[in-house]
Amino acid sequence: MTVHPFIEAEKHGGHSVKRACELLQVSRTAFYARRTAKPGPRAVRDTELTEKIAEVHERSRGTYGVPRVHAVLQRQGEDCGRRRVARLMRDAGLQGRHRRRRRLTTIPDPRAAARPDLVVPQHTSLIRSVATTA
């Protein structure tokens, strides 16, 4: 966990940055360097990939999940891993559609009495009558 947002909040609250950095054992140089630094190459690449992932997801009308989005990106020549695609989709709030689970609509009562079989007695009488005439 980074402490830089806490130091920034202390600064906006009118407190001393020097004192906050001493308490949290962070150098002031590192705090100010991080504050003014540009995003790193990985963050820049993640932003580019997130845009491409969102485009692929939108083209599929929100149906493609991680495996299909990753496959499309591979076909387009993007060099990225499946787990990276999963992380970026999760961070962007994108999720594929999945089939609905079959809902159980009738729950039988185990204490209910068994219903009488109304078909079998009729057939047994026909079978007996056929057997006696033959």
Side-chain angles (χ1 to χ4, degrees):
M1 181 176 105
T2 181
V3 294
H4 295 281
F6 177 74
I7 297 171
E8 191 71 40
E10 289 292 311
K11 180 178 187 219
H12 287 295
H15 300 285
S16 170
V17 171
K18 179 181 177 185
R19 182 74 178 137
C21 288
E22 286 173 359
L23 289 173
L24 297 170
Q25 299 176 349
V26 176
S27 70
R28 279 190 296 164
T29 308
F31 168 69
Y32 285 111
R34 181 167 183 164
R35 190 172 172 223
T36 59
K38 296 177 184 174
R42 179 178 173 171
V44 171
R45 178 75 174 133
D46 280 353
T47 305
E48 293 170 359
L49 271 176
T50 302
E51 291 172 2
K52 291 180 181 180
I53 288 170
E55 180 184 318
V56 169
H57 192 261
E58 186 179 324
R59 256 189 286 136
S60 74
R61 294 176 294 173
T63 58
Y64 282 7
V66 173
R68 286 185 177 172
V69 169
H70 179 250
V72 170
L73 290 175
Q74 291 294 314
R75 274 181 272 164
Q76 292 176 353
E78 294 296 327
D79 187 30
C80 59
R82 188 187 60 80
R83 290 183 180 184
R84 187 177 198 179
V85 172
R87 176 178 55 84
L88 294 175
M89 283 184 71
R90 188 172 45 249
D91 292 346
L94 301 175
Q95 190 177 19
R97 301 273 307 198
H98 53 277
R99 290 191 176 135
R100 294 183 186 178
R101 290 187 179 174
R102 186 170 176 244
R103 290 193 177 173
L104 187 63
T105 57
T106 306
I107 301 171
D109 184 9
R111 295 170 288 157
R115 298 205 174 231
D117 190 358
L118 303 176
V119 177
V120 172
Q122 294 172 3
H123 289 292
T124 53
S125 62
L126 286 175
I127 292 171
R128 285 186 201 147
S129 65
V130 170
T132 54
T133 56

